[in-house]
Amino acid sequence: MMEHPVVLRHQPRIISYHQSLEQLTAMHLVLPPLSLLLLLSLLPLQSQMRTVSLLTEADRMKGRVEKMAKQLVRKINDTISIPPPLATSSPSGEHYVCCVVQYLNISSGLISNNFYHALDLKEEMASLSGFVDQAKQCHCSSRSMKEVPRELRKLQERKHFFHSITLSAFHLVKEYLKKLQTNLGQLDKCTE
């Protein structure tokens, strides 16, 4: 019986150290221009991806602001009964980032800490204001801040009626946040 030799079709090639170094050097000379060309062609895609990630960040921020505003409005409705005579004014403030922070901070200052559940609600307001302040892409300078809204200025002038001022401030915050939820697109800007 005669044995047939076994032929391996894919025998591994043994390359010496010197041969592999030469091959790597040859590849090195060819790859950089090719990889540079590839990288340059991907740059527009990278800037588009960065824009998309910024858009999704802005959308996430708006979604979180909307959720926090709804939650705060619900808590105000559940914990405070505002008599109709104190619930007649409506907020006139804008809903740009700096204005939201300013409106919530001024309103919080008008609310008496001695009022029923005021501290919990003021904490929620501070949380929302702080989130918007941290998420903004701009710096709110004193000149970028709007004039204190008329309705809040009126309340500031009558501080000695702290009980009615607190109720009116909660009403204004609630109405402001309702408007904010329908104007979330303005959160893309610092001011007008």
Side-chain angles (χ1 to χ4, degrees), residues 129-167:
S129 175
F131 176 74
V132 172
D133 193 38
Q134 291 294 319
K136 70 183 186 294
Q137 300 291 323
C138 57
H139 175 70
C140 296
S141 65
S142 58
R143 63 181 167 77
S144 69
M145 295 294 219
K146 293 285 187 184
E147 179 181 306
V148 175
R150 176 181 27 83
E151 68 278 0
L152 293 179
R153 207 171 340 110
K154 284 182 181 178
L155 291 179
Q156 286 175 330
E157 293 168 0
R158 301 182 307 180
K159 277 192 175 180
H160 52 279
F161 300 109
F162 74 92
H163 189 76
S164 59
I165 299 297
T166 297
L167 289 172

Side-chain angles (χ1 to χ4, degrees), residues 14-48:
I14 299 175
I15 301 173
S16 71
Y17 175 76
H18 182 67
Q19 287 174 327
S20 64
L21 199 58
E22 286 176 351
Q23 287 177 343
L24 285 174
T25 306
M27 287 175 57
H28 181 68
L29 295 175
V30 174
L31 283 179
L34 181 62
S35 61
L36 183 61
L37 182 62
L38 181 64
L39 285 175
L40 288 175
S41 67
L42 292 176
L43 280 177
L45 181 63
Q46 180 189 13
S47 66
Q48 288 173 353

Side-chain angles (χ1 to χ4, degrees), residues 43-159:
L43 280 177
L45 181 63
Q46 180 189 13
S47 66
Q48 288 173 353
M49 288 172 56
R50 195 174 283 157
T51 303
V52 168
S53 70
L54 286 176
L55 288 176
T56 57
E57 247 179 73
D59 290 339
R60 275 188 247 136
M61 186 265 291
K62 289 176 191 175
R64 180 134 183 241
V65 167
E66 182 179 27
K67 180 181 175 185
M68 292 172 82
K70 280 181 182 178
Q71 182 178 343
L72 185 53
V73 167
R74 187 179 62 244
K75 283 187 177 184
I76 291 172
N77 284 335
D78 290 348
T79 56
I80 296 177
S81 176
I82 302 169
L86 296 176
T88 56
S89 59
S90 62
S92 62
E94 299 291 335
H95 297 93
Y96 301 106
V97 171
C98 295
C99 300
V100 171
V101 173
Q102 180 189 30
Y103 200 95
L104 290 174
N105 290 342
I106 292 171
S107 299
S108 181
L110 292 169
I111 296 170
S112 170
N113 290 341
N114 297 328
F115 199 79
Y116 179 70
H117 287 292
L119 290 176
D120 294 337
L121 294 170
K122 284 176 73 169
E123 187 177 308
E124 294 262 343
M125 290 168 59
S127 177
L128 175 56
S129 175
F131 176 74
V132 172
D133 193 38
Q134 291 294 319
K136 70 183 186 294
Q137 300 291 323
C138 57
H139 175 70
C140 296
S141 65
S142 58
R143 63 181 167 77
S144 69
M145 295 294 219
K146 293 285 187 184
E147 179 181 306
V148 175
R150 176 181 27 83
E151 68 278 0
L152 293 179
R153 207 171 340 110
K154 284 182 181 178
L155 291 179
Q156 286 175 330
E157 293 168 0
R158 301 182 307 180
K159 277 192 175 180

